Short mmCIF file of all heavy atoms in Angstrom, two decimals:
data_model
loop_
_atom_site.label_atom_id
_atom_site.label_comp_id
_atom_site.label_asym_id
_atom_site.label_seq_id
_atom_site.Cartn_x
_atom_site.Cartn_y
_atom_site.Cartn_z
N ALA A 946 -126.22 289.89 93.36
CA ALA A 946 -124.79 290.18 93.48
C ALA A 946 -124.05 288.89 93.14
O ALA A 946 -123.91 288.00 93.99
CB ALA A 946 -124.45 290.66 94.88
N GLU A 947 -123.61 288.77 91.89
CA GLU A 947 -123.04 287.52 91.39
C GLU A 947 -121.82 287.06 92.18
O GLU A 947 -121.53 285.87 92.28
CB GLU A 947 -122.65 287.68 89.91
CG GLU A 947 -123.81 287.99 88.98
CD GLU A 947 -124.59 286.75 88.57
OE1 GLU A 947 -124.61 285.77 89.33
OE2 GLU A 947 -125.19 286.79 87.48
N GLY A 948 -121.08 288.01 92.77
CA GLY A 948 -119.83 287.67 93.43
C GLY A 948 -120.00 286.78 94.64
O GLY A 948 -119.04 286.08 95.02
N VAL A 949 -121.18 286.74 95.23
CA VAL A 949 -121.37 285.95 96.45
C VAL A 949 -121.20 284.46 96.15
O VAL A 949 -120.41 283.76 96.79
CB VAL A 949 -122.75 286.24 97.08
CG1 VAL A 949 -123.00 285.32 98.26
CG2 VAL A 949 -122.82 287.70 97.53
N LYS A 950 -121.93 283.95 95.16
CA LYS A 950 -121.79 282.54 94.82
C LYS A 950 -120.54 282.27 93.99
O LYS A 950 -119.96 281.18 94.07
CB LYS A 950 -123.04 282.04 94.10
CG LYS A 950 -124.25 281.95 95.03
CD LYS A 950 -125.41 281.20 94.44
CE LYS A 950 -126.53 281.05 95.47
NZ LYS A 950 -127.71 280.37 94.91
N THR A 951 -120.10 283.27 93.22
CA THR A 951 -118.87 283.09 92.46
C THR A 951 -117.68 282.90 93.41
O THR A 951 -116.75 282.16 93.12
CB THR A 951 -118.63 284.29 91.53
OG1 THR A 951 -119.70 284.38 90.58
CG2 THR A 951 -117.32 284.15 90.76
N THR A 952 -117.71 283.58 94.56
CA THR A 952 -116.66 283.40 95.55
C THR A 952 -116.55 281.94 95.97
O THR A 952 -115.45 281.37 96.07
CB THR A 952 -116.92 284.27 96.80
OG1 THR A 952 -116.91 285.66 96.42
CG2 THR A 952 -115.86 284.03 97.87
N GLU A 953 -117.68 281.31 96.22
CA GLU A 953 -117.68 279.91 96.63
C GLU A 953 -117.12 279.02 95.52
O GLU A 953 -116.30 278.12 95.76
CB GLU A 953 -119.10 279.48 97.01
CG GLU A 953 -119.17 278.12 97.67
CD GLU A 953 -120.56 277.80 98.20
OE1 GLU A 953 -121.47 278.65 98.12
OE2 GLU A 953 -120.73 276.66 98.70
N ALA A 954 -117.55 279.30 94.28
CA ALA A 954 -117.10 278.49 93.15
C ALA A 954 -115.60 278.67 92.89
O ALA A 954 -114.87 277.69 92.69
CB ALA A 954 -117.89 278.86 91.89
N VAL A 955 -115.13 279.92 92.89
CA VAL A 955 -113.72 280.18 92.61
C VAL A 955 -112.83 279.68 93.74
O VAL A 955 -111.73 279.19 93.50
CB VAL A 955 -113.51 281.69 92.34
CG1 VAL A 955 -112.03 282.04 92.29
CG2 VAL A 955 -114.17 282.08 91.02
N HIS A 956 -113.30 279.79 94.97
CA HIS A 956 -112.55 279.26 96.11
C HIS A 956 -112.32 277.75 95.93
O HIS A 956 -111.20 277.24 96.13
CB HIS A 956 -113.32 279.53 97.40
CG HIS A 956 -112.65 279.02 98.64
ND1 HIS A 956 -113.02 277.84 99.25
CD2 HIS A 956 -111.61 279.51 99.37
CE1 HIS A 956 -112.27 277.63 100.31
NE2 HIS A 956 -111.40 278.62 100.41
N THR A 957 -113.36 277.04 95.52
CA THR A 957 -113.24 275.60 95.28
C THR A 957 -112.33 275.32 94.09
O THR A 957 -111.52 274.39 94.12
CB THR A 957 -114.63 274.98 95.04
OG1 THR A 957 -115.48 275.29 96.15
CG2 THR A 957 -114.53 273.48 94.89
N LEU A 958 -112.46 276.12 93.03
CA LEU A 958 -111.61 275.96 91.86
C LEU A 958 -110.14 276.13 92.22
O LEU A 958 -109.28 275.37 91.75
CB LEU A 958 -111.99 276.98 90.78
CG LEU A 958 -112.98 276.57 89.71
CD1 LEU A 958 -113.29 277.75 88.80
CD2 LEU A 958 -112.46 275.39 88.89
N GLY A 959 -109.84 277.15 93.01
CA GLY A 959 -108.46 277.41 93.42
C GLY A 959 -107.88 276.22 94.15
O GLY A 959 -106.73 275.82 93.90
N GLN A 960 -108.65 275.64 95.06
CA GLN A 960 -108.18 274.48 95.79
C GLN A 960 -107.99 273.29 94.86
O GLN A 960 -107.00 272.55 94.96
CB GLN A 960 -109.18 274.13 96.90
CG GLN A 960 -109.25 275.16 98.02
CD GLN A 960 -110.23 274.76 99.11
OE1 GLN A 960 -111.26 274.16 98.84
NE2 GLN A 960 -109.91 275.12 100.35
N LYS A 961 -108.92 273.11 93.93
CA LYS A 961 -108.86 271.98 93.00
C LYS A 961 -107.65 272.07 92.07
O LYS A 961 -107.01 271.06 91.77
CB LYS A 961 -110.16 271.95 92.18
CG LYS A 961 -110.26 270.80 91.21
CD LYS A 961 -111.59 270.84 90.46
CE LYS A 961 -111.70 269.70 89.47
NZ LYS A 961 -113.00 269.74 88.72
N LEU A 962 -107.33 273.29 91.64
CA LEU A 962 -106.24 273.49 90.69
C LEU A 962 -104.91 273.81 91.37
O LEU A 962 -103.88 273.95 90.70
CB LEU A 962 -106.60 274.63 89.72
CG LEU A 962 -107.83 274.39 88.84
CD1 LEU A 962 -108.19 275.66 88.06
CD2 LEU A 962 -107.59 273.22 87.88
N GLY A 963 -104.93 273.96 92.68
CA GLY A 963 -103.71 274.28 93.40
C GLY A 963 -103.21 275.69 93.14
O GLY A 963 -102.00 275.93 93.11
N VAL A 964 -104.14 276.64 92.96
CA VAL A 964 -103.79 278.04 92.68
C VAL A 964 -104.04 278.87 93.94
O VAL A 964 -105.13 278.82 94.52
CB VAL A 964 -104.63 278.60 91.51
CG1 VAL A 964 -104.28 280.07 91.26
CG2 VAL A 964 -104.39 277.78 90.25
N GLU A 965 -103.03 279.61 94.35
CA GLU A 965 -103.15 280.44 95.55
C GLU A 965 -104.00 281.68 95.24
O GLU A 965 -103.68 282.45 94.34
CB GLU A 965 -101.76 280.86 96.03
CG GLU A 965 -101.77 281.55 97.39
CD GLU A 965 -100.37 281.93 97.84
OE1 GLU A 965 -99.51 282.18 96.98
OE2 GLU A 965 -100.15 281.96 99.06
N LEU A 966 -105.07 281.88 96.01
CA LEU A 966 -106.00 282.99 95.80
C LEU A 966 -106.28 283.66 97.15
O LEU A 966 -107.35 283.48 97.73
CB LEU A 966 -107.30 282.49 95.16
CG LEU A 966 -107.18 281.71 93.85
CD1 LEU A 966 -108.51 281.08 93.48
CD2 LEU A 966 -106.69 282.61 92.72
N PRO A 967 -105.35 284.44 97.67
CA PRO A 967 -105.48 284.95 99.04
C PRO A 967 -106.67 285.89 99.25
O PRO A 967 -107.31 285.83 100.30
CB PRO A 967 -104.16 285.66 99.29
CG PRO A 967 -103.56 285.89 97.94
CD PRO A 967 -104.03 284.77 97.08
N ILE A 968 -106.96 286.75 98.28
CA ILE A 968 -108.11 287.66 98.46
C ILE A 968 -109.40 286.86 98.43
O ILE A 968 -110.29 287.04 99.28
CB ILE A 968 -108.12 288.76 97.37
CG1 ILE A 968 -106.85 289.61 97.46
CG2 ILE A 968 -109.36 289.65 97.53
CD1 ILE A 968 -106.71 290.62 96.34
N THR A 969 -109.52 285.95 97.48
CA THR A 969 -110.70 285.08 97.42
C THR A 969 -110.86 284.29 98.70
O THR A 969 -111.97 284.12 99.22
CB THR A 969 -110.59 284.12 96.22
OG1 THR A 969 -110.52 284.89 95.01
CG2 THR A 969 -111.78 283.19 96.15
N GLU A 970 -109.76 283.81 99.24
CA GLU A 970 -109.78 283.03 100.48
C GLU A 970 -110.39 283.83 101.62
O GLU A 970 -111.25 283.33 102.38
CB GLU A 970 -108.36 282.59 100.84
CG GLU A 970 -108.23 281.93 102.21
CD GLU A 970 -108.90 280.58 102.30
OE1 GLU A 970 -108.98 279.88 101.26
OE2 GLU A 970 -109.35 280.21 103.41
#
Side-chain angles (χ1 to χ4, degrees):
E947 298 278 27
V949 174
K950 289 192 175 178
T951 298
T952 298
E953 190 172 357
V955 170
H956 179 260
T957 305
L958 266 176
Q960 292 181 325
K961 182 179 179 181
L962 297 173
V964 179
E965 188 179 30
L966 305 170
I968 299 174
T969 299
E970 173 68 30

